[in-house]
Amino acid sequence: MITFPQIDPGEPLSVSASLYVTYLRCAGQALAQTQGRYGPESRSSFSGMLAHRIFARHLNDGPIGVTGFEAACRQEIGQAMNPKLAALQLRPSELRGVIAEVGALYERFQAVSAEGCRSVETEIAYALNEDVTLRGRIDAVFDDPRGVRLVDWKTGSLATVENQLDFYALLWSLEYGELPALVEAASVASGERYEHEPTMATISATARRVADMIAVLRSGFADESSVARTGGPGCRFCALQGECVEGLAALRVLSA
């Protein structure tokens, strides 16, 4: 259905939705991530990841009882999140606080209807060629009267979600040869919801931006100075702290 722009052979790249969103915010930070350079772990990121694991568990296995909730959280942490826990060095009391926060989010999540849920944490890896793969993990896929609906859960405010949703729509279209009927972001914390209907025009525009990103990042492998850096709130969790002029300026403003 969609023809992706021609990608020249070059350095191998794995392009995820999060990398794409990071690139649109700051190309320099995205380049650092392709080199395995990530910023510090944050408590909010850890809490959000744990909440997502609990949401997926609920949709896969059914409701989690109050008496078993803490054990379920600790089981999820032990299965996939121990390295992040170690990096944060949370004290036992702080970890209990995180679990309590996730519990409050889970209470809200239980009001979400699971009717029509087809799959949870659906992973797609689409090879554009031998060197470049697009990857994404879609929180939930629903059968909707209008067609397939892709949903991404958020544990904070929605802020700007269009780019991430457009990437998922592109990935779905490439993998399955059809547009999803709807892409949706839903904040469990605030109750906010955002959805739109992907079109060939929006998907084609996203494909062009992803192709441009691949070219820019590859140029940065040879010359990092060729990749622009943009200061903003994301600088708080960037691996380039201390060496990025734009980031230092942004952090001074944010701390003022």
Side-chain angles (χ1 to χ4, degrees), residues 160-183:
T160 302
V161 295
E162 294 93 334
N163 293 320
Q164 181 183 6
L165 296 178
D166 284 342
F167 186 93
Y168 288 150
L170 168 64
L171 192 57
W172 185 273
S173 300
L174 290 169
E175 179 72 9
Y176 297 107
E178 63 178 11
L179 288 171
L182 292 167
V183 286

Side-chain angles (χ1 to χ4, degrees), residues 133-175:
T133 301
L134 305 186
R135 300 181 182 276
R137 176 183 289 181
I138 301 166
D139 287 341
V141 179
F142 285 80
D143 288 319
D144 188 273
R146 293 160 288 185
V148 171
R149 175 165 53 99
L150 311 182
V151 178
D152 187 71
W153 312 118
K154 298 297 183 185
T155 55
S157 64
L158 290 189
T160 302
V161 295
E162 294 93 334
N163 293 320
Q164 181 183 6
L165 296 178
D166 284 342
F167 186 93
Y168 288 150
L170 168 64
L171 192 57
W172 185 273
S173 300
L174 290 169
E175 179 72 9

Side-chain angles (χ1 to χ4, degrees), residues 182-243:
L182 292 167
V183 286
E184 176 186 337
S187 171
V188 179
S190 68
E192 298 171 277
R193 303 182 80 86
Y194 171 85
E195 69 175 30
H196 73 86
E197 300 179 16
T199 66
M200 284 300 298
T202 60
I203 296 303
S204 296
T206 300
R208 288 193 297 271
R209 285 194 291 268
V210 173
D212 290 343
M213 176 185 75
I214 292 167
V216 169
L217 293 180
R218 280 178 163 172
S219 71
F221 293 157
D223 178 13
E224 289 190 17
S225 65
S226 69
V227 178
R229 295 176 177 178
T230 306
C235 294
R236 290 191 180 99
F237 306 107
C238 180
L240 301 177
Q241 283 188 32
E243 61 182 80

